[in-house]
Amino acid sequence: MSTTALTHRVRVLAAPGDRHDEILTPAALDFVGHLAAAFGGRRRDLMKERRRQLLRLAGGSPLDFPVATSAVRADPSWRVAPAAPGLTDRRVEITGPPDRRMAVNALNSGATVWMADFEDATAPIWDNIVGGQLTLLDAIERRLDLTTDDGKEYRPAGRDRLATLVVRPRGWHLDEEHLEFDGGPVPAALVDFGLYFFHCAQRQVDAGYGPYFYLPKLENRYEARLWNDIFVTAQELLGIPRGTVRATVLIETITAAFEMEEILYELREHSAGLNAGRWDYLFSLIKTFGHRTDFLLPDRAKVTMTAPFMRAYTELLVRTCHKRGAHAIGGTAAQVPGRDPAAHESALAKVRLDKEREAEDGFDGSWVAHPGLVPVCREVFDGVLGERPHQIDRTRDDVDVTAVDLLSVRRISGPPTAEGVRTNITVALRYFAAWLRGQGAVALDGLMEDAATAEIARVQIWQWLRHRVIERETVGLLLDDELATLGAEYPWAPLDEVRALFERTALQAELPLFFTPDAYTRNLVRHAEPRS
């Protein structure tokens, strides 16, 4: 790596752990420090702009497709880069945290892609972050194995075709407090990206693939441009040909939905398409417009992908991607197959209907959260794609989506049910308890939930309280009741901390933008280690 000397090196503010020295090498930390020095200031400015945009929209400014970039949208000539090796056929993608058991199961699942998730499916205690990097390094080196306490062994199958690895770093809004640069924490996205890229980019190229990424929670084209500049710099620093990186952007914020083409344009030499991140999209919608009565959403279970504004969002995504030669990837099927035959068949039927809608709408593939769902997802997309790797040639010229279509929430607007209120409180509390314990992917009531689920659960409670469609006293009684149940079922749960987190992030007059920074700061104390 030919970097200039850094004035301030990255310091590790955590005790050494098992094999941490293989990841936190001086050269790797210097690489992360170089990225922080080059791009940390722009990231801070973009986070300030997020808040300014939120205030503008709250003040009544209209949200529409940007006039300034109309020429980009109107220009028919540009396309994103061709599909990279291992990313041509993406009909089934499996998601999960980068722990060793999940890695083996995902690689062996029969999915075409494994999205190793440092973001919503990972509670970012330090061992999870460094351990996840070790998992990815071992997976690429084909030395990944695991033997559990009960003697069960996990290791990748011997076949050549394992799922293609794609890494999702944490979002721009998060910091990594265990690494210090220039007197402050390093942006978590640069930590996850930088450590993986430093150790694994060349290894992936040598294996015939490349360093591939999913980019979460982008809100506009400028945030996409920042990532593209990071990719260019990282490739230059390590001598990797420009354009080797590929990135799929999750369209999971309402503002990004109005800049899909611009996001593809900014990343076009590194783009691998867009993904429909459905739960975070609803979370973003409430966070942005939740103060308005015409954006009052009913129970989460009633806001399906057939709702008009959700149909507009997904159809626009397919049309945008295929217009520019990019893959369009559908949302997550979170069902966990059960042992009860009737429940199992019911879960698979729901998944099948969801994937049939996506495949028929033109998506090129979709996500599942459990290996048991890979066969049904593959069967559905096989039925539409056949031997073709994708259906990018289906340009969906019939789709014409306006700003009004994307924001037509009032067509399903309505108050919650008592069951919906209780469910949101239950899900938020149980997820918070697991997250504070260091677990980011949690099976709850037959679904594999991650941080996006907890986010929409707590902001819906906030929205319903704000508009007084539920009473604060009712929420308080349900909170007491569900905490008692949680404590009885899970004696390890830190009930006082769970309650405090829920009250801070769901019951205050001003809605925190994310629960994770608040929870992370307090989790540092719970998982505190001597600093070196």
Side-chain angles (χ1 to χ4, degrees):
M1 181 179 71
S2 57
T3 66
T4 57
L6 296 175
T7 305
H8 303 285
R9 295 171 64 91
V10 170
R11 295 178 59 228
V12 180
L13 305 181
D18 183 36
R19 297 181 61 200
H20 283 200
D21 59 323
E22 296 179 38
I23 298 298
L24 304 174
T25 65
L29 294 174
D30 276 352
F31 181 74
V32 171
H34 193 110
L35 298 179
F39 301 106
R42 280 175 62 185
R43 176 258 190 175
R44 284 192 296 273
D45 291 343
L46 288 172
M47 294 305 96
K48 292 177 183 177
E49 177 56 29
R50 279 189 181 184
R51 287 193 168 272
R52 286 192 290 266
Q53 171 74 328
L54 195 63
L55 290 173
R56 287 193 291 267
L57 294 173
S61 295
L63 181 59
D64 207 336
F65 299 98
V67 174
T69 54
S70 58
V72 171
R73 297 193 299 275
D75 182 356
S77 65
W78 64 269
R79 296 287 187 275
V80 303
L87 292 180
T88 301
D89 187 330
R90 303 176 61 180
R91 66 189 67 201
V92 188
E93 303 194 351
I94 189 168
T95 76
D99 63 64
R100 300 182 80 80
R101 180 159 62 178
M102 177 67 208
V104 173
N105 287 338
L107 292 170
N108 289 343
S109 66
T112 50
V113 169
W114 170 39
M115 195 274 282
D117 188 12
F118 282 95
E119 205 222 10
D120 279 356
T122 295
I125 61 173
W126 189 230
D127 278 346
N128 285 350
I129 297 304
V130 183
Q133 294 286 345
L134 283 164
T135 295
L136 301 183
L137 179 60
D138 287 347
I140 292 168
E141 289 288 302
R142 295 295 183 102
R143 62 189 184 208
L144 184 65
D145 55 48
L146 170 69
T147 302
T148 61
D149 292 339
D150 60 3
K152 189 172 183 179
E153 296 183 350
Y154 293 83
R155 56 178 47 87
R159 64 178 185 271
D160 291 335
R161 184 65 179 96
L162 299 174
T164 300
L165 175 60
V166 180
V167 175
R168 177 160 72 164
R170 283 169 284 177
W172 281 129
H173 60 290
L174 295 168
D175 288 318
E176 178 47 72
E177 298 282 353
H178 296 95
L179 293 182
E180 181 186 74
F181 176 79
D182 200 19
V186 179
L190 296 182
V191 175
D192 300 339
F193 166 81
L195 292 176
Y196 174 73
F197 193 91
F198 182 84
H199 289 293
C200 299
Q202 188 60 56
R203 285 178 164 94
Q204 288 286 58
V205 172
D206 293 343
Y209 298 96
Y212 305 145
F213 299 92
Y214 259 105
L215 304 181
K217 295 180 175 56
L218 300 193
E219 297 201 0
N220 53 58
R221 61 192 181 276
Y222 302 109
E223 296 180 18
R225 183 182 301 169
L226 174 58
W227 268 118
N228 195 74
D229 291 346
I230 290 167
F231 296 155
V232 171
T233 296
Q235 289 166 128
E236 289 176 350
L237 288 173
L238 297 190
I240 291 173
R242 180 165 171 159
T244 303
V245 170
R246 289 291 190 276
T248 305
V249 174
L250 291 113
I251 301 300
E252 54 188 353
T253 64
I254 185 63
T255 52
F258 286 83
E259 299 192 29
M260 292 189 202
E261 284 195 76
E262 291 86 343
I263 287 169
L264 287 178
Y265 182 81
E266 294 293 345
L267 284 160
R268 60 194 181 281
E269 65 180 325
H270 298 113
S271 178
L274 304 176
N275 172 281
R278 60 180 72 173
W279 293 133
D280 264 316
Y281 188 75
L282 289 174
F283 161 51
S284 171
L285 190 79
I286 298 172
K287 185 169 57 174
T288 305
F289 295 111
H291 59 288
R292 290 172 46 174
T293 55
D294 53 336
F295 281 84
L296 181 64
L297 287 174
D299 296 358
R300 175 167 60 106
K302 294 182 178 180
V303 187
T304 68
M305 298 305 295
T306 61
F309 75 99
M310 295 299 282
R311 288 285 290 162
Y313 149 65
T314 55
E315 291 199 312
L316 179 61
L317 189 149
V318 172
R319 184 183 188 279
T320 300
C321 286
H322 290 183
K323 177 182 177 183
R324 302 304 180 180
H327 283 79
I329 307 300
T332 307
Q335 286 81 1
V336 177
R339 296 180 179 179
D340 175 73
H344 179 77
E345 289 304 316
S346 175
L348 292 185
K350 291 178 181 177
V351 173
R352 182 178 297 279
L353 283 173
D354 185 49
K355 300 313 171 190
E356 286 175 347
R357 173 191 55 77
E358 290 180 328
E360 290 165 3
D361 281 351
F363 280 96
D364 304 293
S366 191
W367 279 11
V368 299
H370 190 281
L373 302 182
V374 169
V376 65
C377 185
R378 176 175 288 280
E379 181 183 341
V380 169
F381 276 90
D382 284 350
V384 171
L385 297 179
E387 296 299 317
R388 296 177 299 158
H390 51 69
Q391 51 183 332
I392 292 175
D393 59 336
R394 189 178 170 206
T395 54
R396 291 304 310 270
D397 294 331
D398 58 304
V399 171
D400 182 20
V401 172
T402 67
V404 172
D405 296 329
L406 289 172
L407 299 173
S408 62
V409 176
R410 65 186 182 279
R411 296 175 65 180
I412 64 161
S413 180
T417 65
E419 181 183 3
V421 176
R422 181 181 287 274
T423 296
N424 275 353
I425 294 173
T426 301
V427 167
L429 295 180
R430 288 171 181 259
Y431 187 83
F432 287 168
W435 200 94
L436 290 170
R437 200 186 190 201
Q439 185 180 359
V442 186
L444 297 173
D445 297 325
L447 298 173
M448 186 59 69
E449 308 285 25
D450 64 11
T453 308
E455 291 286 27
I456 191 173
R458 59 108 184 168
V459 299
Q460 280 206 297
I461 295 295
W462 174 86
Q463 185 188 40
W464 295 335
L465 284 170
R466 179 183 175 89
H467 293 291
R468 297 184 176 141
V469 295
I470 58 175
E471 297 295 329
R472 192 176 185 89
E473 182 181 2
T474 300
V475 173
L477 291 172
L478 289 172
L479 181 59
D480 290 340
D481 190 27
E482 293 303 316
L483 281 169
T485 301
L486 178 63
E489 293 185 14
Y490 303 108
W492 48 264
L495 299 184
D496 290 343
E497 295 175 57
V498 171
R499 173 189 286 276
L501 180 58
F502 185 84
E503 291 175 344
R504 287 192 303 268
T505 60
L507 304 186
Q508 302 298 319
E510 182 176 352
L511 179 70
L513 298 183
F514 297 94
F515 86 82
T516 42
D518 178 288
Y520 178 67
T521 300
R522 286 163 175 79
N523 225 11
L524 288 175
V525 177
R526 299 188 72 251
H527 295 274
E529 299 167 322
R531 294 188 169 191
S532 59

